[in-house]
Amino acid sequence: MYRSEVTNEESERTAFRKAEKKYKIYYDNTKKKKVTRHVDLSEVIDFKSILNDYNSNIELNDGVSVLNRDFDRPVFCLESRPGFYFIPGALSIEEQRQWIRESLASFPQPPNRTNHNAVYGPVEDLFVSAKERRVLVEVERCPDDACSELNALQSDVCAPRYKFVEEHGESRSKDACKSVPASVLLRKLRWSTLGLQFDWSKRSYNISLPHKKIPDALCQLAKRMAAPAMPCGEEFLPEAAIVNYFGSGDMLGGHLDDMEKDWSKPIVSMSLGCKAIFLLGGKSREDTPIAMFLRSGDAVLMAGEARECFHGVPRIFTDAENADIAHLETQFTQEDGHSFLDYIRNSRININIRQVY
C-alpha cells in the first residue's frame, strides 16, 4: 500500500521533499484576506496540451512518447520512467459524474472502511446526513472488559457506538456524550476502501475483514483502462481499491505502493474533481521528481519499474481560475446534485484500483 520510512529531518533534505515544498500551497496574509502565494508552474508537464499537440501533429516534448498499442485514445509515456502511462481525458463526463456520486454516497458505506472507523466505528449514510445537516452522537460504549478481548483488527466493533440524529433533536439529550456535525466528518473524510481490505497497522491485506466487492461497472472500467500496461494476453483483475479524498490545502506525501504481489500488474488511478499536481520521483527520494497536472477524467497507470518510484500529490487547485471543473459544474444542476457540486468545487477524489494477488 503506502510505505514511507524516512524521518522528518532526513526528508527535509531530499529532492522529493524540496519539490513538495515548492508546489505546496502557501498563503500570504493581507489586511483584507488570505491570498494564495504565487508558485512557478512553468516546469509542470501538461498532458492536456501534449494531447492537443499530438492531435495537431505537432512534435511532442522531449522525453514524452506515445504508446504504440491498440487502444481507443492516445496513451503517453515518460521515457525516463518505464511502466508509467498517462491517459488524458480517459473518463467521459458521464463517467466522471457517476464516480463522483458513488465515491461520496456509496463507497464510504459499511462494511467498507474509512479513516473514521478507528474513532467512530462504522458510519452509515455520511453524505446524506451531511446534506440533511444531521449530527453524529455517541449513544453507548462497549464494556471495557469486552473490548480488551478483541484484537486490533476488530477495533471497529468495540469503538463507541454512534448514530446520526437531527441537529436540534436527540443530539441534545443527556445520553449523547459527544457529537460532531456530519458536514465536518465529510470534510475530514480522507479515504475509503473497496474490495479486499487493507490492515494499516500490519501493512497487509486481510481477506477475513468484511467488505463489499468492487462494483462491476468500476471493475470493467478499470480493466479497460489497465489494458495498455498489461502483459500481452493477460487481463487485469481488480481486487482492491482505495478512494482518496482531498480538500483545499491537503496533500499526499511521497510514498510507494508496494504491498501487492505482482508489480507487473498496474495500479489504475483515476482523478475526479479539482486539478492537482502529481509528483513522480525515482527509486530514491534523492531523485528529482517530475511534476505534472492531473485533471478530472485523467487516468494514470503505474506498473513494473514505475511501481518502485516514489510519488505523491503536493497540491490541489480549488480556485475558480485553476480548478478546471467547469465541465463538471453543468452535470450537477438538479436539486439533488447541489451537494455533490458544493463538495467537488473544493475537492479532488482519486480512485486507485489494484490487483492484489
Side-chain angles (χ1 to χ4, degrees):
M1 197 63 63
Y2 302 142
R3 177 167 65 83
S4 180
E5 297 176 348
V6 67
T7 66
N8 288 336
E9 183 178 352
E10 292 169 334
S11 68
E12 292 293 331
R13 297 193 294 264
T14 66
F16 199 99
R17 179 57 179 160
K18 289 177 181 177
E20 287 179 322
K21 294 180 72 173
K22 174 181 178 179
Y23 293 114
K24 180 181 177 182
I25 190 167
Y26 293 98
Y27 297 99
D28 291 320
N29 291 318
T30 67
K31 292 182 178 180
K32 295 184 178 180
K33 61 180 181 179
K34 188 167 62 174
V35 179
T36 303
R37 189 179 303 175
H38 173 75
V39 60
D40 181 7
L41 302 175
S42 61
E43 296 181 350
V44 182
I45 295 177
D46 189 343
F47 280 100
K48 182 178 180 180
S49 295
I50 290 173
L51 177 62
N52 290 336
D53 290 346
Y54 175 79
N55 290 334
S56 302
N57 295 317
I58 298 175
E59 186 175 353
L60 300 182
N61 299 20
D62 289 343
V64 177
S65 60
V66 178
L67 180 68
N68 293 318
R69 193 162 179 177
D70 185 25
F71 198 63
D72 62 357
R73 66 193 68 226
V75 179
F76 296 101
C77 310
L78 296 176
E79 294 170 3
S80 63
R81 300 292 190 273
F84 176 82
Y85 307 87
F86 196 111
I87 312 175
L91 276 64
S92 68
I93 184 64
E94 292 79 12
E95 289 172 324
Q96 293 174 53
R97 177 181 61 187
Q98 174 185 359
W99 298 118
I100 287 170
R101 288 177 176 273
E102 295 287 335
S103 295
L104 293 171
S106 299
F107 293 166
Q109 286 285 81
N112 296 342
R113 295 156 67 90
T114 76
N115 56 293
H116 292 319
N117 279 60
V119 177
Y120 303 105
V123 176
E124 298 269 3
D125 301 324
L126 174 58
F127 186 77
V128 172
S129 297
K131 182 179 177 180
E132 296 177 352
R133 301 181 183 277
R134 296 167 72 85
V135 176
L136 190 72
V137 299
E138 182 183 21
V139 293
E140 62 178 316
R141 287 182 180 272
C142 236
D144 291 340
D145 54 348
C147 286
S148 64
E149 296 176 1
L150 297 172
N151 61 36
L153 292 180
Q154 297 170 307
S155 59
D156 293 346
V157 178
C158 67
R161 299 298 87 198
Y162 289 81
K163 68 176 181 179
F164 283 115
V165 299
E166 297 298 329
E167 186 173 13
H168 299 293
E170 293 180 58
S171 62
R172 297 290 180 264
S173 75
K174 62 181 180 180
D175 295 327
C177 304
K178 299 178 182 177
S179 65
V180 56
S183 58
V184 171
L185 290 177
L186 182 62
R187 279 298 168 191
K188 291 185 176 181
L189 182 66
R190 291 295 173 263
W191 54 263
S192 61
T193 50
L194 314 176
L196 296 179
Q197 299 291 290
F198 190 77
D199 177 10
W200 298 90
S201 62
K202 295 187 176 180
R203 300 201 67 257
S204 63
Y205 288 95
N206 187 323
I207 61 175
S208 68
L209 288 174
H211 62 274
K212 293 180 182 177
K213 289 181 60 178
I214 299 174
D216 288 341
L218 185 57
C219 285
Q220 293 306 313
L221 176 61
K223 288 180 179 182
R224 178 164 60 88
M225 291 294 110
M230 287 296 292
C232 289
E234 296 189 37
E235 183 179 62
F236 183 66
L237 301 177
E239 294 175 308
I242 299 178
V243 185
N244 295 118
Y245 305 86
F246 297 80
S248 179
D250 289 344
M251 62 178 292
L252 179 62
H255 65 277
L256 298 176
D257 297 294
D258 61 353
M259 294 309 298
E260 291 71 40
K261 184 176 180 179
D262 185 354
W263 291 5
S264 70
K265 308 301 190 298
I267 288 179
V268 180
S269 178
M270 297 179 285
S271 292
L272 301 166
C274 293
K275 186 173 71 178
I277 290 179
F278 178 71
L279 293 179
L280 178 63
K283 297 179 182 181
S284 165
R285 290 180 183 271
E286 294 297 343
D287 297 325
T288 301
I290 300 168
M292 63 197 78
F293 291 122
L294 283 174
R295 290 180 171 84
S296 191
D298 290 343
V300 163
L301 312 176
M302 296 182 70
E305 288 188 39
R307 291 289 299 269
E308 302 178 59
C309 294
F310 284 91
H311 54 281
V313 177
R315 182 184 187 133
I316 72 165
F317 297 89
T318 57
D319 59 293
E321 181 180 358
N322 295 299
D324 280 1
I325 58 167
H327 66 294
L328 286 175
E329 293 181 328
T330 62
Q331 299 299 308
F332 297 106
T333 55
Q334 300 301 317
E335 182 178 352
D336 68 341
H338 287 326
S339 49
F340 291 102
L341 180 58
D342 289 343
Y343 183 92
I344 213 64
R345 276 176 170 159
N346 298 286
S347 307
R348 172 181 180 259
I349 298 172
N350 166 244
I351 305 174
N352 57 87
I353 304 162
R354 304 135 187 274
Q355 180 170 329
V356 176
Y357 299 111

